[in-house]
Amino acid sequence: MAFYEDAKAVKKTDSPEKYQKERKPGQRPSSPGIYKCQSCGYEDVINRECDTLPPCANCDKKPHAWKLLVTATDK
Ligand SMILES: [Zn+2]
């Protein structure tokens, strides 16, 4: 669960499919932001320099996938 304080600084997406797609470690992230492990719930930050999603720190060798939770923007 991601938390925020200023509701004006976040916005509900109009592209839900981007957030529903599962991506495996090693795949390209769709955008910088916070990703959530679909196996254990661990959240991790993926920055703009990141070309591939890392393995989840909790799940590591076990099969798992990420979903985009929050996109970071420059707006
Ligand atoms: Zn995990």
Side-chain angles (χ1 to χ4, degrees):
M1 177 83 59
F3 294 91
Y4 62 91
E5 187 274 325
D6 181 1
K8 291 190 225 70
V10 288
K11 188 177 171 188
K12 176 91 170 156
T13 184
D14 49 13
S15 313
E17 61 285 348
K18 183 175 159 180
Y19 296 80
Q20 291 161 358
K21 184 175 177 176
E22 290 198 345
R23 294 177 170 80
K24 296 208 174 340
Q27 290 186 319
R28 192 172 184 81
S30 64
S31 0
I34 301 172
Y35 286 72
K36 187 181 191 81
C37 175
Q38 298 304 294
S39 181
C40 74
Y42 186 85
E43 294 168 4
D44 211 346
V45 175
I46 303 301
N47 69 32
R48 286 167 174 76
E49 312 300 318
C50 188
D51 288 334
T52 57
L53 291 165
C56 168
N58 280 337
C59 298
D60 195 18
K61 306 290 182 210
K62 289 181 271 179
H64 60 280
W66 296 104
K67 272 188 184 177
L68 178 61
L69 185 63
V70 178
T71 298
T73 71
D74 54 3
K75 296 168 191 149

